[in-house]
Amino acid sequence: MSGSKIDTESKISLVFEGQPLLAEAGASLLQAWMAAGQPLTENVGCMGQGVCGACRVLVRRQGERLAGTALACETQAEEGMQVSFLDHFPARRPHAYDLHALTDSWTALGPVRA
């Protein structure tokens, strides 16, 4: 039965979207997510959608108090990491305003909401 033994020495454990996962050492967070059989949704990864940054994640590394943002496609999975995807909110409509005309931040919301 030595052929069915799982090599856990090359695996690392992390928590992704509240679920404990085992990932290959050296895998990106996105690779770890897909290797665990988790589905890619429109919010997760550009994967042909042409939306770079759609795989943004909130990451807290083991031993660190604060979390930071990263791209799941570029960030290597680390032992003890806690990871959550950040929702990607594309614009529902094009914004027709001139950024150069917005000189006063107190009045900026008017043209942006229009």
Side-chain angles (χ1 to χ4, degrees):
M1 277 220 162
S2 62
S4 65
K5 184 178 177 184
I6 297 173
D7 180 17
T8 56
E9 290 181 25
S10 66
K11 302 276 187 178
I12 57 168
S13 61
L14 63 151
V15 176
F16 210 133
E17 288 292 316
Q19 301 175 16
L21 297 181
L22 282 178
E24 291 290 332
S28 72
L29 291 173
L30 193 56
Q31 290 169 330
W33 178 257
M34 293 187 311
Q38 298 299 324
L40 286 178
T41 66
E42 68 179 348
N43 291 351
V44 180
C46 57
M47 305 299 280
Q49 297 177 28
V51 184
C52 184
C55 66
R56 288 176 299 160
V57 288
L58 188 62
V59 175
R60 189 167 90 185
R61 289 175 168 83
Q62 187 172 11
E64 291 184 3
R65 202 172 59 102
L66 300 176
T69 58
L71 293 176
C73 66
E74 294 181 350
T75 304
Q76 188 172 347
E78 297 174 17
E79 180 68 34
M81 226 180 214
Q82 295 176 345
V83 185
S84 290
F85 281 109
L86 295 173
D87 285 335
H88 171 70
F89 296 106
R92 294 184 185 156
R93 60 180 171 73
H95 294 285
Y97 53 87
D98 180 9
L99 287 177
H100 299 292
L102 301 175
T103 57
D104 182 0
S105 62
W106 292 103
T107 59
L109 284 180
V112 171
R113 288 183 184 163

